[in-house]
Amino acid sequence: MNENRRAGFTLVEMLIALTLGVIVVSAAIQYFMTEFRVLAANDVREVVARNGRYIGVAVRRDLQRAGVGIETTTTFGTVDTWPGTYGDTLVVLYVPYIPRPAPPHTIVPPDGVTENPLPPGSTCGLQCIEVTKEAEPALELEAGSLGRLQVLAGRRLVLIESTNVTSDTSVELKFTDAATLLGQRAGMADLSLDRFGTYAQELQPVVYYLDEDRLMRAVRLNLDGSPAGQVLAYGVEDFDVELVFFDGDVYERVNVLDTDDSNDYDDVSALKITVTLKADRVHPLVNGGEPLERTFVWTIAPRNLRYEKNRL
């Protein structure tokens, strides 16, 4: 036996080991690259699905508040919709809690005026009425607040331009001169106030509308009556709202002027909302490398509208 012979790998063995190592490493790299591409593809799909779920939750939550504290009538709706530039506009109205329901503020008739109804117009200047308020808590109405002006059974929307506290128990509310707000009649034009049956109350609006590919949600109005919206979701290709009526008919809008008495505001039972979303990027493993689009459809029945109808 040759004691000088050294133990170790031969050149052939080294080459075989290196070849096997390269194969294993290459396979591992290929596996991780495939997994990374699959995860990236799944992320494209998940972003669209997540945005859809988020929109659905937001719209459903807001619609369930429709009509809280204010009843729908034949000609006044707490939900409304109409076509817009890029998609439909959806409006929801309710009385806010702050933390109690926003109170009605009854009118303060002008000094020395005893007739009823009051002379046409306002009580403290153009588009201005003086109403009562509590000393505490602080007045909830402020510039930019949306309210309803109730005169007996009549109702109009008003947008407060400014307030002026005249005493511990009264305040002047000045309105913008808008003739319509959110699709409803507004302002005080041709309106005679009843000294015993007139009050103003804050309303909370929620407005959904498309601005190009952005779905906007607004909870306040600008003083010109336009919604002061913030982006709820990007990549929205279509936002379509249809009204479902109690007789089963489905229309894009309410029609209070025709002879059909089943398609007025108080006949709305649910809303069918269709939203089409597009992914913000493409991936070769998703939709053949083309932009992914997905359509979501929800039918939502605001519980308060159904409660009002069943109560009649």
Side-chain angles (χ1 to χ4, degrees):
M1 184 176 181
N2 185 359
E3 295 180 356
N4 294 328
R5 184 177 180 181
R6 296 179 179 178
F9 297 104
T10 65
L11 178 60
V12 174
E13 291 173 331
M14 288 290 292
L15 291 175
I16 293 174
L18 288 173
T19 301
L20 292 175
V22 169
I23 293 174
V24 171
V25 171
S26 298
I29 292 174
Q30 183 64 34
Y31 172 79
F32 284 115
M33 290 181 62
T34 301
E35 285 297 303
F36 179 78
R37 294 179 66 195
V38 170
L39 289 175
N42 289 338
D43 186 62
V44 171
R45 300 186 185 96
E46 178 58 25
V47 167
V48 174
R50 185 168 59 247
N51 284 344
R53 291 194 299 269
Y54 180 64
I55 295 171
V57 169
V59 173
R60 188 179 300 276
R61 176 196 59 202
D62 288 328
L63 279 174
Q64 292 306 337
R65 298 172 179 171
V68 171
I70 176 173
E71 293 185 10
T72 299
T73 67
T74 301
T75 58
F76 184 94
T78 55
V79 293
D80 201 2
T81 183
W82 59 84
T85 303
Y86 300 103
D88 289 346
T89 296
L90 169 65
V91 174
V92 178
L93 297 174
Y94 62 94
V95 174
Y97 279 70
I98 49 176
R100 60 192 177 103
H105 298 274
T106 56
I107 194 172
V108 177
D111 292 338
V113 177
T114 59
E115 58 187 290
N116 193 49
L118 300 177
S122 53
T123 66
C124 53
L126 294 176
Q127 301 292 332
C128 178
I129 62 172
E130 186 174 7
V131 296
T132 60
K133 76 175 187 69
E134 299 179 10
E136 295 292 341
L139 182 70
E140 75 286 351
L141 295 168
E142 58 184 14
S145 294
L146 181 71
R148 68 157 160 173
L149 180 61
Q150 188 82 23
V151 182
L152 299 177
R155 182 183 298 170
R156 293 190 186 179
L157 292 179
V158 289
L159 183 59
I160 296 178
E161 185 174 85
S162 63
T163 63
N164 178 36
V165 176
T166 52
S167 72
D168 289 340
T169 59
S170 63
V171 61
E172 291 177 348
L173 304 177
K174 184 177 181 181
F175 310 132
T176 66
D177 59 0
T180 59
L181 288 169
L182 299 178
Q184 311 265 10
R185 194 175 183 189
M188 301 180 60
D190 304 321
L191 186 65
S192 295
L193 305 179
D194 185 274
R195 64 189 303 117
F196 304 109
T198 299
Y199 65 86
Q201 184 180 30
E202 184 185 15
L203 289 183
Q204 177 63 62
V206 183
V207 186
Y208 286 86
Y209 60 99
L210 271 185
D211 181 4
E212 296 184 344
D213 67 340
R214 303 178 301 171
L215 181 61
M216 312 294 288
R217 178 179 181 269
V219 295
R220 290 185 67 83
L221 302 180
N222 298 310
L223 288 181
D224 63 359
S226 62
Q230 295 183 332
V231 179
L232 184 73
Y234 292 93
V236 181
E237 293 291 293
D238 187 45
F239 180 72
D240 181 71
V241 184
E242 295 178 296
L243 300 173
V244 182
F245 295 85
F246 280 98
D247 63 357
D249 289 338
V250 180
Y251 299 118
E252 292 185 348
R253 295 211 62 180
V254 164
N255 190 343
V256 301
L257 300 178
D258 63 6
T259 58
D260 185 355
D261 61 358
S262 65
N263 60 359
D264 301 324
Y265 282 111
D266 60 348
D267 299 312
V268 177
S269 65
L271 292 93
K272 181 181 179 182
I273 300 173
T274 304
V275 176
T276 300
L277 300 177
K278 177 183 286 187
D280 59 355
R281 62 186 187 277
V282 298
H283 193 281
L285 296 181
V286 178
N287 198 34
E290 297 296 322
L292 174 66
E293 289 190 2
R294 182 174 173 184
T295 298
F296 301 81
V297 181
W298 306 283
T299 299
I300 305 170
R303 57 181 177 270
N304 202 61
L305 300 188
R306 186 168 295 275
Y307 168 77
E308 288 178 357
K309 193 69 173 181
N310 291 338
R311 187 181 59 182
L312 298 178

